Amino acid sequence: MYSFLKGHIVGTHPTSVVMDCNGVGYELQTSLHTSSQIKVDNNQKYLLHTYFQVREDSHTLFGFLSKFEKEVFKLLITVSGISGSTARNILSSLTPNEVHQAIIKQDLHTIKSCKGIGLKTAQRLCIELKDKMMQLSSIDESTVSTIGNQKEEVIKALEVLGYPKRITEQVVIRIISKNHQDTDVSSLLKKALNHLQNR
């Protein structure tokens, strides 16, 4: 029903945000991975990829900064016993890429480290999702690799210009999350400088 929403963030909580889209406020459930990269800022618009889950007792809208996280989430909830809230907990304990790799590598120890996930559920996730996660990898791996390389180049360039890494890393990650298809170094650097100069 909803593919994405774009607007200003007017409220944040550890696992949810409120987005103002042209005067309509949407509450989106988020992972810590997503919410930690978002802040209330009337001068900044965010694009969140969405998944609308309809159940007998609730209608819940989930939001993700990256399409990759949304796709991992959608695979997780296909497994019996994994609700939207459980999938969100998994993506709050691990990054989307860590979840993706742990299932492909059958890393039960890492999967079990997530809140609410026992041995049997971890085994079920690995058995049912390994092949599907590998297919997702073939779609997204090159993009993830390219983005990772470009991110490091931009951060290094900003360090040379005198900006501290702890600040530039947050800024660059936020920009890439909103413009995940734009991996041109000069474009990313321009956006990062503009953001840093207007802080």
Side-chain angles (χ1 to χ4, degrees):
M1 184 176 182
Y2 302 101
S3 178
F4 66 85
L5 292 173
K6 187 174 184 180
H8 298 289
I9 300 299
V10 295
T12 60
H13 303 279
T15 55
S16 69
V17 300
V18 177
M19 176 179 277
D20 179 353
C21 299
N22 297 319
V24 179
Y26 293 89
E27 182 175 0
L28 298 99
Q29 301 301 306
T30 61
S31 67
L32 290 174
H33 176 74
T34 284
S35 62
S36 66
Q37 299 177 61
I38 292 175
K39 65 178 182 177
V40 175
D41 184 348
N42 291 330
N43 297 315
Q44 183 171 358
K45 279 191 173 182
Y46 288 90
L47 186 150
L48 292 183
H49 302 276
T50 55
Y51 180 82
F52 188 50
Q53 187 175 62
V54 178
R55 301 178 64 180
E56 270 187 38
D57 57 346
S58 65
H59 291 182
T60 309
L61 189 60
F62 292 90
F64 313 89
L65 266 178
S66 72
K67 194 169 183 180
F68 183 65
E69 183 181 14
K70 175 181 174 179
E71 294 305 315
V72 171
F73 174 89
K74 285 167 62 178
L75 287 178
L76 290 174
I77 61 175
T78 63
V79 176
S80 176
I82 303 295
S83 64
S85 295
T86 303
R88 179 181 62 182
N89 288 343
I90 293 172
L91 288 164
S92 292
S93 300
L94 304 169
T95 67
N97 195 52
E98 286 171 340
V99 175
H100 179 253
Q101 290 301 309
I103 290 175
I104 288 176
K105 295 175 181 177
Q106 311 281 280
D107 184 352
L108 296 176
H109 178 74
T110 296
I111 299 169
K112 279 169 53 185
S113 70
C114 300
K115 182 181 178 182
I117 302 298
L119 177 60
K120 288 185 178 179
T121 303
Q123 290 172 331
R124 193 159 59 243
L125 282 165
C126 289
I127 291 169
E128 295 186 26
L129 296 185
K130 180 179 179 180
D131 291 344
K132 293 176 181 178
M133 286 292 183
M134 289 178 73
Q135 290 175 6
L136 183 58
S137 176
S138 66
I139 295 170
D140 204 76
E141 189 173 5
S142 61
T143 303
V144 171
S145 176
T146 300
I147 287 175
N149 292 336
Q150 311 297 31
K151 182 188 79 171
E152 293 305 317
E153 284 188 49
V154 173
I155 289 172
K156 286 178 182 176
L158 292 170
E159 281 189 276
V160 170
L161 293 173
Y163 293 99
K165 184 175 181 179
R166 62 183 179 80
I167 294 175
T168 58
E169 192 164 24
Q170 293 176 357
V171 170
V172 174
I173 288 173
R174 193 176 300 122
I175 291 169
I176 289 174
S177 295
K178 292 193 300 175
N179 305 273
H180 60 279
Q181 293 180 330
D182 184 359
T183 57
D184 178 70
V185 173
S186 61
S187 176
L188 291 174
L189 182 58
K190 189 181 295 182
K191 286 184 174 74
L193 279 171
N194 184 57
H195 184 89
L196 289 164
Q197 289 167 356
N198 291 306
R199 283 173 68 89

